[in-house]
Amino acid sequence: MIDPIIYQDGILRLLDQRRLPTQRVYLECRDYQQVARAIRDMVVRGAPAIGITAALGVCLGAQELPEEDPAFFLQQLQEIIGLMRSTRPTAINLSWALDRMEEICKDEEGLSPPLIKERLWQEALKIWQEEKQINEAIAHWGAGLIKKGDKILTYCNTGTLATGGGLGTALGIIKQAYREGKDPLVMVSETRPYLQGARLTAWELKEEGVPHRLITDNMAGFLMQRGKIDLVLVGADRIALNGDVANKIGTYSLAVLARENQVPFYVAAPTSTVDVRIATGKDIPLEERPAQEVTHLLEQQIAPPGTEAINLAFDITPHHYITAFITEKGIILPSQLRLKLGPQNIN
Ligand code: MRU
């Protein structure tokens, strides 16, 4: 069993995803600064997982605060939440989870610091638990779209590692289809530069016994052209109201290739990934990461010293390339997104 996040006796243990698949080690976080660093440095990654981790980080931070002065306590709490918010900008799950934590502080303004601490824990555990249930629902709806023997291309890592212990989103659907006896064959795209596909998705699928083939990112188009891929299933970090999707860099290229080759392209994500304040993809903040992740491969330099590189961590796939969204509330077409999940329907 994969347990990517463990909390016990005031210590948050994060399965260090930078060291997978060769080493299965946990990084221990005893304070909120360590948690913030772990998110920024990709110890834990994947949109839902960083939201859960940030919420737990707020709890660790709250635990350290003195309780005598409630106003000071709340002000310090805001600073902790602010630090967590600054770690990674693209995934809405991070700010969504922190908004929920912040709401506790607002709601409970009359409450004593010890009680606020308790409510924060309850909320963080709720966010964590809900994610697992949402994954199950996404897997249920998504598996219904998969036919026996389908060859499914997936990208980045959207599994247990990315969702804090749940089944996963896109990968959860694949696992569910496998459990239902549909015999999917998964084409795992390696996902340069950080290799989430090769290092993490291939590892998860191996742990689960799901048949898969690792491919380099640049093989996807030709495999589609040759009829070797029946559908593409990816996750999302943020979805604009018009259905444009921010996801791991390279997702857009896959979507264009899928359209060219009449291969269905599905995005699996919880409805909380829809940012109701953002109309189109061009307003989604996109993270840029250190150039070293491109010039080096697993810490081995692969480009001449001093080479300047671009390292955009995410791209935007325009909504017209997306066949449908697979959410915990069912299958939603991009054109229905605003109507079904717009601000008027979010609870
Ligand atoms: O940079 P990462 O590894 O955090 O990026 C992860 C992705 O892009 C995933 O596809 C997305 O977060 C969905 S995970 C269920």
Side-chain angles (χ1 to χ4, degrees):
M1 197 184 88
I2 306 168
D3 233 343
I5 304 174
I6 300 171
Y7 176 78
Q8 217 174 11
D9 305 328
I11 303 171
L12 186 61
R13 290 186 175 82
L14 301 171
L15 180 58
D16 193 339
Q17 299 191 27
R18 300 168 305 181
R19 297 168 74 173
L20 286 171
T22 47
Q23 290 169 291
R24 195 170 176 155
V25 289
Y26 283 84
L27 181 91
E28 287 192 355
C29 300
R30 290 166 193 270
D31 58 51
Y32 73 93
Q33 290 97 337
Q34 284 176 311
V35 178
R37 216 173 306 125
I39 296 173
R40 195 171 278 135
D41 293 348
M42 308 279 279
V43 171
V44 56
R45 33 65 49 205
I50 60 176
I52 293 162
T53 305
L56 292 167
V58 171
C59 298
L60 274 191
Q63 228 41 47
E64 294 164 24
L65 294 176
E67 297 173 348
E68 300 77 50
D69 180 350
F72 179 74
F73 176 83
L74 285 176
Q75 181 222 320
Q76 293 293 300
L77 214 43
Q78 284 303 331
E79 282 187 22
I80 294 168
I81 292 174
L83 176 69
M84 291 297 164
R85 262 189 216 289
S86 71
T87 51
R88 295 194 72 193
T90 301
I92 179 87
N93 311 58
L94 182 80
S95 46
W96 172 83
L98 291 170
D99 286 348
R100 281 179 61 166
M101 300 301 275
E102 207 166 13
E103 211 46 47
I104 299 288
C105 310
K106 275 188 210 146
D107 277 351
E108 316 299 347
E109 233 153 346
L111 293 177
S112 66
L115 210 49
I116 295 178
K117 288 180 184 179
E118 200 183 310
R119 297 276 165 95
L120 286 170
W121 273 117
Q122 286 166 357
E123 191 64 8
L125 296 178
K126 200 163 158 220
I127 291 169
W128 197 358
Q129 196 49 44
E130 280 172 11
E131 186 58 41
K132 293 181 182 165
Q133 289 158 359
I134 286 170
N135 281 194
E136 297 288 333
I138 291 174
H140 160 78
W141 292 112
L145 295 170
I146 295 176
K147 294 189 291 301
K148 195 161 171 76
D150 267 353
K151 293 179 285 302
I152 307 169
L153 176 74
T154 192
Y155 197 57
C156 196
N157 172 268
T158 59
T160 301
L161 293 168
T163 55
L167 200 56
T169 56
L171 208 57
I173 293 170
I174 292 169
K175 291 177 193 171
Q176 181 62 27
Y178 174 72
R179 288 173 189 178
E180 289 177 11
K182 292 189 170 175
D183 299 326
L185 176 63
V186 192
M187 300 294 174
V188 180
S189 200
E190 60 178 351
T191 320
R192 274 280 287 149
Y194 214 73
L195 301 176
Q196 288 94 331
R199 294 189 304 104
L200 309 177
T201 298
W203 181 74
E204 263 199 62
L205 290 172
K206 186 162 184 252
E207 291 278 307
E208 294 270 337
V210 183
H212 58 281
R213 304 283 182 272
L214 180 64
I215 61 166
T216 60
D217 296 331
N218 51 8
M219 287 180 193
F222 192 58
L223 285 172
M224 288 188 208
Q225 196 194 58
R226 286 286 162 105
K228 302 286 185 203
I229 289 167
D230 297 302
L231 67 149
V232 182
L233 255 180
V234 298
D237 281 80
R238 198 184 292 227
I239 302 170
L241 260 188
N242 72 341
D244 292 351
V245 168
N247 192 49
K248 181 52 54 196
I249 191 78
T251 303
Y252 166 55
S253 316
L254 288 176
V256 175
L257 288 166
R259 170 59 52 87
E260 164 73 11
N261 293 287
Q262 292 97 46
V263 173
F265 186 91
Y266 292 103
V267 175
T271 51
S272 57
T273 308
V274 179
D275 188 342
V276 296
R277 298 157 307 180
I278 284 189
T280 73
K282 70 176 181 346
D283 296 322
I284 298 178
L286 295 177
E287 178 183 7
E288 202 163 344
R289 294 194 55 84
Q292 170 137 349
E293 290 175 2
V294 176
T295 57
H296 291 59
L297 197 57
L298 304 176
E299 282 160 29
Q300 169 80 41
Q301 190 172 328
I302 56 168
T307 300
E308 290 181 28
I310 298 170
N311 188 9
L312 296 172
F314 299 96
D315 62 22
I316 303 291
T317 299
H319 58 95
H320 55 264
Y321 287 111
I322 295 161
T323 308
F325 292 99
I326 306 167
T327 75
E328 78 280 13
K329 296 187 178 168
I331 313 292
I332 301 177
L333 299 176
S335 58
Q336 300 172 321
L337 206 62
R338 188 184 296 270
L339 193 69
K340 293 207 167 170
L341 302 177
Q344 73 284 359
N345 291 315
I346 297 290
N347 43 39

